Amino acid sequence: MNRLRLGIVGLGMASAPHARSLLDLADRVEVVAACSPTQTRRAAFARDYGLPTCEDPATIFDDDSIDAVLLLTPPNTHLELVRRAAAVGKHILLEKPLETSVERAEALVALADAAGVKLGVVLQHRFRPTGTALAELVRGGRLGTLVSASVHLNNWRPQSYYDQPGRGTRERDGGGVLLTQAIHTLDLLISVAGTPSEVTAYAVTSPVHRMETEDLVAGAMRFDNGAIGSLTATTSAYPGHPDAIDIIGTKGMARLEGTTLSAAFHDGSDFQIEDEAAGGGTGADPMAFSHQHHRAVLTDFLEAVATSRQPRVNGHEALKVHRLIDALLRSADTGTRQQVEALA
């Protein structure tokens, strides 16, 4: 099998699990260059992973031998970088979120569509074995008809996390806890239970942090079949606790909390599996987790390019969670119930 030739743009903290995954997949992918304008980041990346680096993204975009790019830069840079990659026919694997707003995210997805390149999005929770098993319980009818679906995210980030330039601002990140942390768990909820059709929410900056955007959100969700659920998300819950999804159906209930999926059914049977790789990342060190699920994202992307299919989490799939987050923030801003825009 010919190895896919890949360039990396962005060598911040998000690069670590990707670099480890790429080393694991070295028989299938060759990293041609990893780019950062910061010399210390280039030096550290080369030292830690033994991969070649460059200073200017043009080195990657202008190299016709490079098949795909992995974009790990701040959200507000994504649209322009995708534009450059699409213009030269390179496939794209993009770190979440798509962009800083729904409008920019939609424009980004449209660019990839028009160029005919694959666009994968790094929402790795969908690749957790526990998440896949939960989806199978729901789709296979073991839980019966959906009654309730809820999400609870109790992360901790110290003030020093938000003291980093641009962190938690609308200009660079597009938002706070919803778009940066809860996006993963909300995306997994959507993949299991479908997208809520209507939401009501409160979003505030708690006294725990000094930051521009929200670090605490509480809301309610309604689904098309009448099922309801709740949402709580924060980065002010010291010292950080496992995220959780609760699914209640007419035949039983399932709870995915941290590394464990457990379910109990009205017929007296039960079910439980563990995923130790799902732990970590909820406390002061946001990168304290295994790279196993990032490796699964990259494997899926490589297979999508090789077989000309869409990545499992493509741009259109990622737009679903962006539209949900947008509706939650609109509800908080206006104090009104908001409809979640459905995909056309």
Side-chain angles (χ1 to χ4, degrees):
M1 179 185 296
N2 292 329
R3 292 195 298 170
L4 179 138
R5 288 172 59 82
L6 179 81
I8 304 172
V9 181
L11 298 180
M13 68 178 180
S15 65
H18 292 287
R20 296 186 191 109
S21 300
L22 288 163
L23 292 176
D24 288 349
L25 297 168
D27 61 329
R28 302 182 61 181
V29 59
E30 176 187 358
V31 177
V32 179
C35 175
S36 172
T38 306
Q39 194 277 332
T40 54
R41 285 186 174 180
R42 295 195 305 273
F45 188 85
R47 179 195 67 229
D48 292 343
Y49 306 111
L51 295 170
T53 63
C54 66
E55 181 178 359
D56 188 346
T59 303
I60 292 171
F61 291 120
D62 294 346
D63 186 339
D64 292 339
S65 76
I66 293 178
D67 306 299
V69 292
L70 172 59
L71 302 180
L72 306 177
T73 55
N76 66 341
T77 67
H78 289 178
L79 180 57
E80 180 55 31
L81 290 173
V82 166
R83 189 189 312 278
R84 293 179 67 178
V88 291
K90 299 189 190 303
H91 303 294
I92 302 151
L93 183 57
L94 179 67
E95 184 59 71
K96 62 79 190 168
L98 286 168
E99 249 286 355
T100 57
S101 70
V102 168
E103 294 75 19
R104 289 176 65 86
E106 289 172 341
L108 183 155
V109 173
L111 280 171
D113 284 348
V117 298
K118 304 301 179 192
L119 172 62
V121 185
V122 183
L123 288 165
Q124 70 272 11
H125 281 25
R126 287 218 202 177
F127 293 82
R128 290 181 174 182
T130 47
T132 301
L134 178 58
E136 290 172 352
L137 288 178
V138 173
R139 291 169 191 158
R142 290 290 308 279
L143 295 173
T145 302
L146 181 68
V147 171
S148 178
S150 298
V151 166
H152 306 290
L153 187 95
N154 287 306
N155 283 188
W156 166 249
R157 297 292 185 268
Q159 181 58 43
S160 58
Y161 174 84
Y162 292 110
D163 288 341
Q164 296 298 312
R167 184 77 53 76
T169 64
R170 290 183 179 86
E171 180 180 359
R172 195 197 80 158
D173 288 351
V177 64
L178 288 180
L179 203 56
T180 304
Q181 284 86 24
I183 188 171
H184 288 293
T185 312
L186 288 172
D187 175 70
L188 182 55
L189 176 79
I190 287 171
S191 74
V192 169
T195 307
S197 56
E198 184 179 86
V199 297
T200 303
Y202 294 96
V204 300
T205 305
S206 78
V208 175
H209 294 126
R210 300 180 304 279
M211 57 186 293
E212 181 183 5
T213 54
E214 85 288 348
D215 69 347
L216 178 62
V217 180
M221 305 177 287
R222 182 184 295 275
F223 295 80
D224 280 337
N225 77 335
I228 61 173
S230 62
L231 173 144
T232 58
T234 188
T235 55
S236 61
Y238 181 83
H241 304 274
D243 55 340
I245 295 177
D246 290 327
I247 305 291
I248 301 173
T250 55
K251 296 182 180 179
M253 176 181 173
R255 181 174 179 83
L256 198 169
E257 182 174 13
T259 63
T260 304
L261 170 64
S262 58
F265 308 100
H266 293 188
D267 63 9
S269 62
D270 57 27
F271 174 88
Q272 181 168 310
I273 63 169
E274 295 282 340
D275 175 16
E276 293 301 329
T282 63
D285 181 1
M287 306 310 294
F289 54 80
S290 164
H291 69 281
Q292 179 175 317
H293 303 128
H294 283 74
R295 185 174 63 227
V297 172
L298 277 157
T299 299
D300 176 76
F301 179 72
L302 295 174
E303 292 174 352
V305 172
T307 61
S308 296
R309 66 164 172 82
Q310 287 297 316
R312 184 168 161 188
V313 186
N314 55 58
H316 292 278
E317 279 294 301
L319 279 175
K320 295 176 183 178
V321 71
H322 276 262
R323 288 174 176 172
L324 172 57
I325 289 171
D326 183 65
L328 289 164
L329 292 175
R330 280 190 283 111
S331 175
D333 285 343
T334 64
T336 62
R337 189 180 304 171
Q338 291 288 316
Q339 299 296 313
V340 180
E341 183 184 355
L343 288 174

